[in-house]
């Protein structure tokens, strides 16, 4: 019988920090699409001799915020090293990075995965997260290669996980959580299409029950969630086959070919690069004094896990709490609706299904919502107080979404508000009874369903403004006299 293997997965994620300028110079960080290649560069980030790096305080602050979101211990003293390799995208011939002493030490995050009805949670360790500068971007044509240095020197945070994941689903959930956290604390925009989040995946197998890890391969530079999932699943299958044939997994660096859906060797351990790390002589150690760190901590928003717990405490399901904390803006919108007086459950329903659904259909974010939180709360209030029915509220919602008008005003305008004046309701009921002797006779014969026809008649008379449930009661009361 073939041996059962357990996958072991660890991720190294590069996120581009959302600072205004690059890591060690004052060139703009983040490509302005309108400006062409090699326009956002200076002697420093294009590696001219004699230039010196200057640390970007803003990037450091974002790196620390990111670390705090990952539950990392912030190291008071960290330092930079030179990592050497030769490639056209690296003008200095080395990359400035943190190696032995990263700014963010050990941390831990919680991931959620599995089906909606059976969500599972698991803690994943963060080994560390360090600051570094990005390389330039090269593009290879048939006859030549081009290099764009706009990206050279952009600030990155590399987040290195512990080998704690056991399936592609867990890795996917981990990636989702990293992206949520980085965006939550404004550390990175994580726009994968712009290359602001890039993933290296390490995969190995071990026989189930064995403690020692097996030989791993590393798949470099994945730039979509789908590629991460596909590459992991492919690699698990490939390694299983190798091991089942009695062969050994070769430790090597691979590339994902998303056209053919296979991994391809890039280099093996034998030709692994020797980076000849040594301390960066042109940068002093990065020292985060207590007051500075306290200031950064004080500026941190409440993190998604805390918010989720709070929302569950309000009676929401774990799933809904997850949807309502998908971004910080969504969570804050929900809280604003509550603050304006809406009950949690109703507010959650309207946001998770109606509002997010409508926004999603247009590829919009909650920041673009045409319905302000207070207005949604007002709409919910009208339903809660029985002024309008849920069905009517849906109509009002659609109009609000189209026009941005307020709920109460729209209810007036559309003539929707339900009549709750008992005198008027009884009058309509009596009228309907007088006009439909057959239905009355049927009812008296014991056919209680006949009351439905009368309710219908009242709804027509009242143009839908009578509350059907209350009308039913009134009709039964009058007919039973
Ligand atoms: P390197 O120095 O070669 O980058 P690290 O020890 O820093 O290697 O690990 C890099 C990543 O690989 C980490 O995310 C780690 O969790 C993961 N990793 C290490 N060993 C294994 C293994 N045997 N199987 C799967 N992932 C692993
Ligand atoms: Mg590595
Ligand atoms: Zn520059």
């Amino acid at each position: 019988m073939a041996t059962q293997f357990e996958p072991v997965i660890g991720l190294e994620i590069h996120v581009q920090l959302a600072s205004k300028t690059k890591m060690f110079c004052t060139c703009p960080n983040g490509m302005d699409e309108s400006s062409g290649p090699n326009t956002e560069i200076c002697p420093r980030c294009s590696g001219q001799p004699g230039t010196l790096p200057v640390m970007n305080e803003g990037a450091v602050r974002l790196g620390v915020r990111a670390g705090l979101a990952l539950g990392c211990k912030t190291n008071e003293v960290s330092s930079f090293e030179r990592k050497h390799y030769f490639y056209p995208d690296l003008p200095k011939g080395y990359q400035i990075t943190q190696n032995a002493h990263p700014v963010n030490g050990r941390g831990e995050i919680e991931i959620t995965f599995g089906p909606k009805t059976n969500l599972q949670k698991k803690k994943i360790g963060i080994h560390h997260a360090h600051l570094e500068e990005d390389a330039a971007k090269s593009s290879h044509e048939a006859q030549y290669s081009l290099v764009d240095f706009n990206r050279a020197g952009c600030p990155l945070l590399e987040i290195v996980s512990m080998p704690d994941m056991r399936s592609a689903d867990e890795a996917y959930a981990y990636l989702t959580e990293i992206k949520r956290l980085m965006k939550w604390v404004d550390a990175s925009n994580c726009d994968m299409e712009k290359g602001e989040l890039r993933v290296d995946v390490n995969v190995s197998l071990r026989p189930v029950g064995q403690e020692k890890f097996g030989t791993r391969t590393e798949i470099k530079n994945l730039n979509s969630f789908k590629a991460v999932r596909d590459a992991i699943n492919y690699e698990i299958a490939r390694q299983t086959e190798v091991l089942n044939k009695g062969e050994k997994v070769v430790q090597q660096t691979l590339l994902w070919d998303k056209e053919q859906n296979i991994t391809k060797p890039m280099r093996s351990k034998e030709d692994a690069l020797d980076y000849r790390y040594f301390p960066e002589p042109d940068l002093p150690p990065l020292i985060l004094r207590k007051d500075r760190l306290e200031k950064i901590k004080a500026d941190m928003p409440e993190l998604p896990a805390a918010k989720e717990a709070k929302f569950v405490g309000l009676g929401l399901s774990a799933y809904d709490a997850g949807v309502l904390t998908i971004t910080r803006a969504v969570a804050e919108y929900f809280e604003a609706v509550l603050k304006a007086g809406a009950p949690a459950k109703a507010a959650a329903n309207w946001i998770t299904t109606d509002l997010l659904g409508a926004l999603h259909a247009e590829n919009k974010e909650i920041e673009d919502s045409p319905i302000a939180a207070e207005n949604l709360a007002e709409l919910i209030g009208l339903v809660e107080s029985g002024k309008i029915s849920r069905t009517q509220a849906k109509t009002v919602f659609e109009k609000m979404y189209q026009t941005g008008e307020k709920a109460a005003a729209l209810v007036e305008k559309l003539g929707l508000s339900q009549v709750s004046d008992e005198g008027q309701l009884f009058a309509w009921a009596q009228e309907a009874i007088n006009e439909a002797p057959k239905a009355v006779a049927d009812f008296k014969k014991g056919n209680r369903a006949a009351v439905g026809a009368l309710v219908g008649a009242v709804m027509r008379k009242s143009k839908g403004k009578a509350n059907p449930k209350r009308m039913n009661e009134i009709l039964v009361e009058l007919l039973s006299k």
Side-chain angles (χ1 to χ4, degrees):
M1 206 188 82
T3 318
Q4 283 295 310
F5 294 107
E6 176 185 53
V8 172
I9 300 158
L11 264 52
E12 295 162 279
I13 302 179
H14 290 89
V15 294
Q16 185 173 345
L17 295 170
S19 58
K20 287 204 181 68
T21 56
K22 293 187 181 181
M23 192 73 229
F24 302 115
C25 65
T26 55
C27 289
N29 168 41
M31 256 115 290
D32 174 0
E33 246 97 281
S34 60
S35 55
N38 295 310
T39 51
E40 295 173 350
I41 60 173
C42 73
R44 249 182 256 157
C45 57
S46 57
Q48 309 297 316
T51 55
L52 292 171
V54 177
M55 189 100 67
N56 176 350
E57 295 258 335
V60 170
R61 192 180 71 87
L62 293 179
V64 172
R65 271 171 80 87
L68 292 171
L70 300 168
C72 291
K73 174 186 172 295
T74 314
N75 290 319
E76 197 184 319
V77 181
S78 65
S79 61
F80 290 85
E81 294 181 34
R82 292 183 178 182
K83 175 180 179 177
H84 298 81
Y85 63 92
F86 182 75
Y87 199 72
D89 68 7
L90 199 66
K92 298 193 295 296
Y94 59 84
Q95 175 194 30
I96 304 179
T97 180
Q98 295 193 304
N99 184 39
H101 306 285
V103 66
N104 297 303
R106 199 55 67 94
E108 186 179 81
I109 65 169
E110 190 172 61
I111 61 165
T112 307
F113 57 101
K116 183 175 167 176
T117 47
N118 184 25
L119 290 179
Q120 278 175 275
K121 295 205 177 271
K122 178 175 172 178
K123 299 238 156 80
I124 305 292
I126 304 293
H127 184 273
H128 75 272
H130 67 263
L131 292 165
E132 62 187 27
E133 58 175 345
D134 207 347
K137 194 172 160 185
S138 39
S139 42
H140 305 290
E141 309 294 329
Q143 304 291 322
Y144 53 88
S145 291
L146 297 169
V147 187
D148 177 4
F149 289 96
N150 285 352
R151 208 178 70 185
C154 286
L156 298 180
L157 186 76
E158 179 172 341
I159 304 162
V160 182
S161 84
M162 301 294 286
D164 287 348
M165 287 153 268
R166 298 290 174 266
S167 67
D169 279 350
E170 289 184 21
Y172 195 94
Y174 172 78
L175 202 52
T176 307
E177 184 60 10
I178 291 287
K179 186 173 168 185
R180 175 168 78 149
L181 287 168
M182 293 304 102
K183 290 181 72 142
W184 193 279
V185 300
D186 304 314
S188 172
N189 299 320
C190 297
D191 187 335
M192 294 188 93
E193 275 168 22
K194 291 189 185 160
E196 292 171 351
L197 193 162
R198 308 189 294 263
V199 188
D200 300 341
V201 171
N202 295 270
V203 184
S204 66
L205 296 183
R206 63 179 171 187
V208 169
Q210 177 183 304
E211 198 161 326
K212 194 171 165 285
F213 290 145
T215 305
R216 72 177 146 126
T217 57
E218 177 174 8
I219 313 156
K220 281 253 178 241
N221 240 327
L222 297 159
N223 57 9
S224 78
F225 278 45
K226 182 179 182 310
V228 168
R229 170 175 279 154
D230 291 350
I232 291 174
N233 282 331
Y234 175 85
E235 200 48 27
I236 291 172
R238 188 190 69 82
Q239 290 185 18
T240 304
E241 206 179 302
V242 169
L243 294 175
N244 277 336
K245 274 194 283 189
E247 293 169 7
K248 285 201 168 94
V249 170
V250 178
Q251 181 169 347
Q252 58 185 343
T253 307
L254 307 166
L255 286 177
W256 177 242
D257 182 328
K258 62 172 185 269
E259 264 69 59
Q260 296 182 66
N261 276 308
I262 54 168
T263 55
K264 285 180 171 170
M266 185 168 135
R267 54 180 179 250
S268 70
K269 196 183 174 185
E270 283 77 63
D271 37 57
L273 301 173
D274 174 5
Y275 294 120
R276 290 155 45 238
Y277 281 102
F278 70 73
E280 166 60 62
D282 294 335
L283 282 170
L286 172 58
I287 295 170
L288 288 159
R289 297 206 190 284
K290 208 163 176 232
D291 52 344
R292 186 169 166 203
L293 185 55
E294 286 312 314
K295 168 104 188 37
I296 296 176
K297 280 187 182 166
D299 284 345
M300 287 288 284
E302 187 175 29
L303 292 174
K307 282 247 194 285
E308 270 187 77
K310 223 188 223 177
F311 295 170
V312 168
L314 295 173
L316 304 188
S317 69
Y319 180 81
D320 280 348
V323 176
L324 291 168
T325 51
I326 234 167
T327 66
R328 181 146 65 97
V330 170
E332 286 173 356
Y333 185 97
F334 173 62
E335 288 180 321
V337 176
L338 297 189
K339 199 158 166 250
K345 197 87 189 115
N349 281 340
W350 279 100
I351 296 172
T352 57
T353 56
D354 304 85
L355 184 58
L356 291 180
L359 289 166
H360 188 78
E362 293 188 290
N363 233 327
K364 284 185 174 168
E365 303 285 328
I366 195 113
E367 288 89 331
D368 313 316
S369 171
I371 303 178
E374 300 70 39
N375 294 353
L376 184 61
E378 186 184 276
L379 176 68
I380 295 169
L382 292 171
V383 183
E384 294 290 315
S385 66
K387 203 131 199 281
I388 53 173
S389 69
R390 236 194 105 74
T391 322
Q392 290 175 316
K394 295 268 177 194
T395 312
V396 178
F397 177 89
E398 272 165 36
K399 277 270 180 273
M400 287 171 77
Y401 191 86
Q402 285 158 15
T403 64
E405 279 175 88
K406 291 193 154 202
L410 271 169
V411 166
E412 281 301 310
K413 207 162 143 184
L414 301 171
L416 283 176
S417 68
Q418 288 194 37
V419 173
S420 51
D421 172 31
E422 291 278 300
Q424 176 66 70
L425 293 176
F426 271 89
W428 276 327
Q430 194 56 57
E431 235 177 82
I433 287 171
N434 297 344
E435 288 164 10
K438 183 167 175 329
V440 174
D442 286 349
F443 181 85
K444 300 239 154 134
K445 268 187 251 160
N447 180 6
R448 294 186 68 90
V451 83
L454 295 168
V455 172
V458 172
M459 293 317 280
R460 280 190 296 279
K461 274 182 202 303
S462 66
K463 299 199 173 64
K465 288 187 200 171
N467 179 326
K469 191 159 159 275
R470 178 69 191 126
M471 185 46 61
N472 206 305
E473 289 164 8
I474 292 173
L475 285 163
V476 171
E477 189 186 322
L478 288 176
L479 291 168
S480 310
K481 268 192 189 152

